Amino acid sequence: MRFLKRVRLKSFFIIFIIIPLSVILASDKKAVSIKVDCQNMSDWSLDSLLYGRFFEHHGNDVYPGIYEQYIINTSFEKWYHKDEDSPTPFKDVKSWIVFEEIQPLRGLAYPFERVGRRDDIKLNLAEEPLNSERSQYIENKTDSEFVGIKQRLALPDYRISEFRLSFYAKSVQETEGIIIKIADYASGKILDESRFDLTDEWTEYVGRINLKENRSAAKLNNRHGIYELMIGLDKKGSVLVDQMTLFPADAVEGVWNPETIAKLKKIGVTTIRWPGGNFASGYHWMDGIGPVELRPTRPNLAWAGLEPNHVGTDEFLQFCELVGLTPLICVGFGYATPEEAANWVEYCNGDISTRFGKLRAQNGRREPYNIKLWQIGNEVYGHYQTGHTTAEDYAIRYIPYYDAMKAVDPSISMMAMGRDPGYHYEDHNAWNKALFKIIGNKMDYLDIHRYVRGVRRQEELAEWDLTRLAEIYLAYSPQYDIIINSIADLRGEYNVPDVKLAVTEWAEYLSLWEPELPHKFSQANGVFYAGMMNSFIRNGEFVKISCSHDFSAFGTNRVNWNVPLLPRSYVAELYSNVKADRLLAIEVNSETFDMEKEVPQMFIVKDIPYIDAVATATKDLGEIVLFIANRSVTSNYDVDIKLENVPGNRVAQIDTYEATDDPMEPISWENPDVFRIRTEEETVENDRIRMNIPFSSVVKLTVRE
C-alpha cells in the first residue's frame, strides 16, 4: 500500500516516546509521563472557529430543531420521493418524518390523515393555492358529522402547554366556519377546540391551542407527547386550506427553539455551516427570502420530502446573531450559477444602493450582515451529490464563482471543497492536488469531511477482538494528523502557503452497533471527539475551522435522535470554554498499541499512544490548559505531569469526563446519567501534578496563577 509510506506520527509540538510493551506489562501500575515546555510557545493562535457545528435541512433538524414549527408539509404539496425524480443515482433515501407508519391517501397531502368516514368527505389537492402549487380541499357532505384532516404531532408537552396556530383558508361553498381541534393521541380526548368564520378570499387565521396542562400517555422516545391536530367542518360546505404552522408559545421571538439556543450556548458553539450539506447542492437562496407565507415549497432533492423555505437567509443570519455564531454559507455547485452566488453575497453584504442590498432592506434588514465565510460546493466528488463532477472540472468551474463573488465583496474568504485522502488513500491526494494546481491562491480554505463508519459487514466484525477495535475507533485521530500533514505539504509543493484547512463535517457514526463499540450515543464517543479536537489543536496553524456533526444539539423530535444532549457535547464544552490559545511544546511518554489490520476507510498505523495530550496557554502564561484523553477502554493510568519554565505558584483545576459504568452504554431519556464530570482542585508542587486518569476518559487540566 503505497500510501503507508506517509504513515508517521509527526507534529512539531508533540513527541510520543515509546516504551517497549513488555516493560510496561511487567508493572502492576500503568504509568505515563507528560512534559510541557511552557517557554516553547507557538507564534500563532488557535482560531475560535474550531468549535463549530454542522446541520442542514434534513428531516426535523431545522423544523422544529431550530425554527420550532411542528406541522409537516405546511403548504399541502405533493410529497417528494427521490425514487421518482432523483437528480443523482442515490435514490434509496427515505424522507424523515416523525411517524413513518402513516400511509399516503389519494387527495390528501402527506402525512395528513383523514377524519371521518370516506363517504362523508371529499378531499383533493387543489390547484388553487395561496402559494406554491397546491392547497388542501375539504368538503363535508353531511350536516351532522365532523369531518376533515388531521396530523399526528410529537409536541414538547414536558415544557409548554400552549401553542400558536396560524393557517390560511377560504370558503368554496358557503360554510358556517372551520373548526380546529387538538386531541390526546392516547385517550382520544379533545383538549381544545376553536371555530373560525371564513370569507371567500384567502385570509390568515391565528389562534391559540391549549393542551390544558395535559401530559400525553403516548410518548415519542419517552419525551414528546403525541397529539392529533384536526381541521375540518361540522356542517355541509367546502373550504381550501394552505400554509398551516404551529409554534409553542415560549418560542424565542415567536419562532426559535429555546432548547436549541440553550444547548448551543452551553456547548460554546462558535460557527454553523448552512444550508448544508447535501441540501445546499440543490438550494436556490431566493426561494428563502421575502414574506414567509409566500415562499415556495420545494422538493428536498438531497433527502426527499419537502422544504418549506421558512428558514432562509434572513432567518438563519438572525438566528446566528441571536446565539452569537459566525455564519458559514455554502453555495450549491452546479445548481446555483456564479451570478446567483454573487447576488447572494450582495444580498448579505451590499449596502442599500445595490440591487440586492435594496431588496434586503425591503425585506426588513437595512444594515448589511457582512458575512465573510463562503464555500462553493459540498462533497462534489460523490455520486450521491447533485452536481457531482471530477476534480479538474470542479476546479475550473470554481474560479468563475470566486471571481464573481469577490467582485461584489473583495473582503470575503472563499472555501473550496477538497476530499479527505484517508477515504481513498491510494489516490495520493489526487483530488486536492488538482485543486491546488488549478485554483491555487483563489481559495482561502480547503474543506474536507470525515465520518468514521468502521467495519461495515457483520462477518468482518466477527474477525475482530472488539476491545481492540473499540480502541482503534477511539484512537482514530493519529490517522487524521497524517491526513492533515499530507494536505499541508501540498501548500509548499504548489507554492500556495496561505491556504488554511477547514473540516466542516466530522463525526464517528459506526455502521454496526455492538454493545462493545463506541457508538454515537455512548460516553466513549466523547473520547473520539477529544482526539479529533486534539488533532485540530496540534495542527492549529493550518486547521482553522471545524464543524462537528451532532443532531442532539438541535431540539429535534426525530425518532432516532430524540435523546438528551450527547455526552460528546459535554466534552465539546470543556474544549470551547478556554482562553488559552497558544500551543505549547509537549512530550508524552505512553504505552502504545498497533493496528493489526485495516478498517474500511482507515489505514494501518503503528505505535498509537493510549494517552493523547495537547497543551495550550495564554500568551502571558496566566492560564495553561492540558487536554488529556485515555483511549484505553480497560486501563486506568497514573500520569505524572511536569510543567517546565512556569513562573510563580499555581493552582490546578482538574475536570474529568468519565463513564459512570459501561462507557459503551447509550444515553437516553430513561438513562441520562451514562457519564459524569468530576471537578477537583490541586496545588502544583515543584511544577508537578500527579493524577490517575480513568479508562475511556478525557481530562481538562487548567493551571492558573
Side-chain angles (χ1 to χ4, degrees):
M1 193 181 307
R2 289 173 293 170
F3 186 79
L4 294 186
K5 294 179 180 179
R6 304 191 69 84
V7 175
R8 65 218 188 261
L9 299 179
K10 78 167 190 179
S11 180
F12 179 76
F13 282 97
I14 183 164
I15 303 170
F16 293 108
I17 299 177
I18 302 167
I19 297 177
L21 187 59
S22 59
V23 174
I24 295 176
L25 292 179
S27 172
D28 290 336
K29 283 192 174 182
K30 294 181 179 291
V32 173
S33 64
I34 297 175
K35 183 168 66 174
V36 181
D37 184 352
C38 298
Q39 292 300 316
N40 192 348
M41 179 185 293
S42 67
D43 57 3
W44 46 264
S45 300
L46 296 173
D47 200 301
S48 64
L49 301 185
L50 288 176
Y51 313 109
R53 280 291 182 277
F54 161 70
F55 84 103
E56 65 178 313
H57 292 242
H58 182 193
N60 309 68
D61 310 330
V62 176
Y63 318 102
I66 287 181
Y67 192 81
E68 200 174 6
Q69 195 289 118
Y70 283 90
I71 304 289
I72 298 175
N73 196 354
T74 58
S75 59
F76 302 93
E77 302 298 327
K78 180 183 177 183
W79 198 255
Y80 173 65
H81 301 277
K82 275 184 72 75
D83 58 353
E84 295 175 353
D85 186 25
S86 176
T88 74
F90 198 52
K91 299 178 185 292
D92 58 344
V93 173
K94 187 176 182 181
S95 57
W96 291 92
I97 62 168
V98 181
F99 303 104
E100 296 181 349
E101 67 272 19
I102 294 173
Q103 297 299 308
L105 293 176
R106 184 184 298 275
L108 182 57
Y110 184 76
F112 286 87
E113 299 175 276
R114 185 181 63 242
V115 178
R117 295 178 303 178
R118 181 182 300 173
D119 292 342
D120 294 339
I121 185 172
K122 181 179 180 180
L123 299 171
N124 188 34
L125 291 178
E127 295 181 359
E128 191 179 345
L130 174 74
N131 76 342
S132 293
E133 297 180 5
R134 292 175 175 83
S135 60
Q136 182 66 57
Y137 175 82
I138 306 170
E139 180 181 343
N140 189 343
K141 298 178 180 181
T142 78
D143 245 343
S144 58
E145 299 292 333
F146 174 81
V147 301
I149 63 175
K150 65 182 180 181
Q151 188 170 123
R152 201 182 314 173
L153 304 171
L155 300 177
D157 60 357
Y158 56 85
R159 191 187 89 216
I160 189 71
S161 61
E162 188 172 322
F163 292 78
R164 176 173 55 86
L165 175 73
S166 169
F167 64 96
Y168 284 79
K170 69 175 184 174
S171 62
V172 179
Q173 300 173 9
E174 187 174 343
T175 178
E176 292 186 10
I178 195 167
I179 298 172
I180 303 292
K181 301 180 183 184
I182 189 80
D184 185 309
Y185 181 72
S187 67
K189 180 182 178 181
I190 301 298
L191 303 173
D192 202 1
E193 181 175 332
S194 300
R195 179 185 292 270
F196 298 87
D197 295 330
L198 300 181
T199 72
D200 60 1
E201 299 289 337
W202 281 116
T203 304
E204 182 183 21
Y205 298 90
V206 179
R208 294 279 173 170
I209 289 179
N210 202 312
L211 305 181
K212 305 293 196 298
E213 305 300 327
N214 187 74
R215 291 296 305 274
S216 178
K219 297 290 183 188
L220 180 73
N221 288 27
N222 201 35
R223 182 66 166 169
H224 289 71
I226 303 177
Y227 297 86
E228 288 185 321
L229 179 67
M230 301 176 230
I231 182 167
L233 308 171
D234 62 356
K235 301 290 183 182
K236 278 187 176 181
S238 58
V239 297
L240 291 173
V241 182
D242 209 344
Q243 283 296 330
M244 176 181 286
T245 60
L246 185 70
F247 292 91
D250 66 344
V252 176
E253 297 181 356
V255 296
W256 304 117
N257 192 321
E259 296 180 54
T260 296
I261 292 171
K263 289 176 182 178
L264 295 178
K265 288 184 175 181
K266 172 181 174 55
I267 299 168
V269 174
T270 54
T271 185
I272 285 186
R273 176 174 174 254
W274 176 83
N278 295 0
F279 176 81
S281 295
Y283 180 66
H284 293 288
W285 70 270
M286 290 193 71
D287 288 341
I289 62 171
V292 171
E293 68 276 9
L294 298 180
R295 296 178 190 174
T297 295
R298 302 294 192 197
N300 188 323
L301 298 176
W303 300 112
L306 299 171
E307 171 53 47
N309 283 305
H310 292 175
V311 173
T313 301
D314 291 292
E315 288 77 20
F316 171 68
L317 297 179
Q318 289 161 15
F319 179 78
C320 288
E321 291 180 343
L322 177 67
V323 183
L325 304 168
T326 297
L328 164 57
I329 292 180
C330 181
V331 177
F333 177 76
Y335 260 51
T337 65
E339 180 184 9
E340 182 179 345
N343 293 342
W344 200 358
V345 174
E346 187 172 283
Y347 185 86
C348 293
N349 297 356
D351 62 41
I352 60 172
S353 68
T354 64
R355 175 188 171 191
F356 288 96
K358 182 180 180 180
L359 180 59
R360 182 194 65 241
Q362 292 171 353
N363 289 333
R365 172 76 177 211
R366 182 177 178 84
E367 295 302 316
Y369 291 108
N370 291 320
I371 307 307
K372 298 303 181 186
L373 295 175
W374 296 83
Q375 180 175 13
I376 304 303
N378 174 73
E379 297 180 7
V380 292
Y381 44 77
H383 74 284
Y384 52 85
Q385 199 70 228
T386 302
H388 68 278
T389 187
T390 65
E392 291 74 15
D393 180 63
Y394 169 72
I396 291 168
R397 291 166 56 199
Y398 166 97
I399 294 172
Y401 286 89
Y402 178 95
D403 291 341
M405 295 167 74
K406 281 277 194 176
V408 173
D409 185 351
S411 71
I412 65 174
S413 294
M414 296 287 289
M415 185 180 296
M417 187 68 240
R419 186 169 70 174
D420 181 335
Y423 282 135
H424 309 277
Y425 44 75
E426 291 181 352
D427 73 0
H428 298 278
N429 256 314
W431 181 281
N432 299 324
K433 287 179 179 179
L435 269 56
F436 273 93
K437 179 179 179 180
I438 297 170
I439 296 175
N441 60 12
K442 287 196 171 185
M443 57 180 173
D444 300 292
Y445 297 91
L446 182 78
D447 181 29
I448 61 174
H449 299 165
R450 164 56 63 164
Y451 291 104
V452 175
R453 306 288 188 186
V455 176
R456 308 296 178 91
R457 296 185 177 90
Q458 203 69 44
E459 59 269 23
E460 294 175 1
L461 195 65
E463 300 174 1
W464 279 91
D465 176 304
L466 294 187
T467 297
R468 174 48 49 87
L469 185 59
E471 292 174 339
I472 288 171
Y473 289 157
L474 297 187
Y476 171 76
S477 61
Q479 302 214 7
Y480 224 58
D481 286 327
I482 295 165
I483 288 166
I484 290 169
N485 286 326
S486 75
I487 299 172
D489 290 346
L490 298 180
R491 297 185 298 176
E493 184 177 341
Y494 291 93
N495 193 28
V496 192
D498 296 329
V499 172
K500 303 301 182 183
L501 188 67
V503 186
T504 67
E505 292 187 39
W506 62 273
E508 182 183 67
Y509 292 148
L510 300 182
S511 298
L512 299 177
W513 287 26
E514 296 292 330
E516 300 88 350
L517 297 178
H519 54 79
K520 61 190 174 188
F521 296 144
S522 68
Q523 180 274 342
N525 193 262
V527 181
F528 166 83
Y529 180 95
M532 290 292 283
M533 289 306 301
N534 283 359
S535 180
F536 298 150
I537 290 169
R538 254 192 303 276
N539 297 282
E541 182 275 332
F542 182 41
V543 182
K544 294 299 182 182
I545 300 174
S546 149
C547 298
S548 67
H549 192 280
D550 178 4
F551 286 144
S552 78
F554 306 97
T556 179
N557 60 358
R558 179 188 286 191
V559 175
N560 65 343
W561 275 97
N562 190 257
V563 293
L565 190 63
L566 293 189
R568 69 176 183 244
S569 282
Y570 292 85
V571 178
E573 182 183 5
L574 293 178
Y575 275 84
S576 65
N577 187 25
V578 294
K579 297 178 181 177
D581 63 352
R582 299 296 184 100
L583 193 66
L584 296 176
I586 187 171
E587 294 180 6
V588 179
N589 177 326
S590 170
E591 180 184 7
T592 67
F593 70 96
D594 294 339
M595 285 180 66
E596 294 88 356
K597 52 187 174 182
E598 289 187 10
V599 174
Q601 297 183 334
M602 297 170 63
F603 45 82
I604 293 175
V605 176
K606 304 290 187 180
D607 300 324
I608 302 170
Y610 277 110
I611 296 297
D612 176 37
V614 293
T616 63
T618 54
K619 190 174 182 179
D620 63 359
L621 292 177
E623 179 176 281
I624 300 167
V625 177
L626 276 73
F627 289 106
I628 308 169
N630 182 357
R631 297 155 164 165
S632 172
V633 298
T634 58
S635 298
N636 302 341
Y637 285 90
D638 289 328
V639 180
D640 179 32
I641 301 170
K642 170 68 173 175
L643 301 177
E644 296 183 336
N645 303 311
V646 179
N649 298 321
R650 300 275 167 153
V651 175
Q653 177 176 311
I654 304 169
D655 297 299
T656 302
Y657 164 87
E658 61 186 358
T660 53
D661 189 13
D662 180 358
M664 308 306 168
E665 188 174 1
I667 195 169
S668 66
W669 293 114
E670 297 89 347
N671 185 26
D673 300 320
V674 300
F675 74 97
R676 60 177 167 247
I677 296 178
R678 287 188 292 111
T679 300
E680 306 166 276
E681 284 202 355
E682 299 284 348
T683 301
V684 180
E685 297 181 353
N686 299 319
D687 298 334
R688 292 193 108 87
I689 304 165
R690 294 177 176 86
M691 67 181 74
N692 183 269
I693 297 182
F695 63 88
S696 183
S697 68
V698 180
V699 171
K700 176 185 177 182
L701 174 65
T702 306
V703 180
R704 298 186 180 96
E705 294 177 322

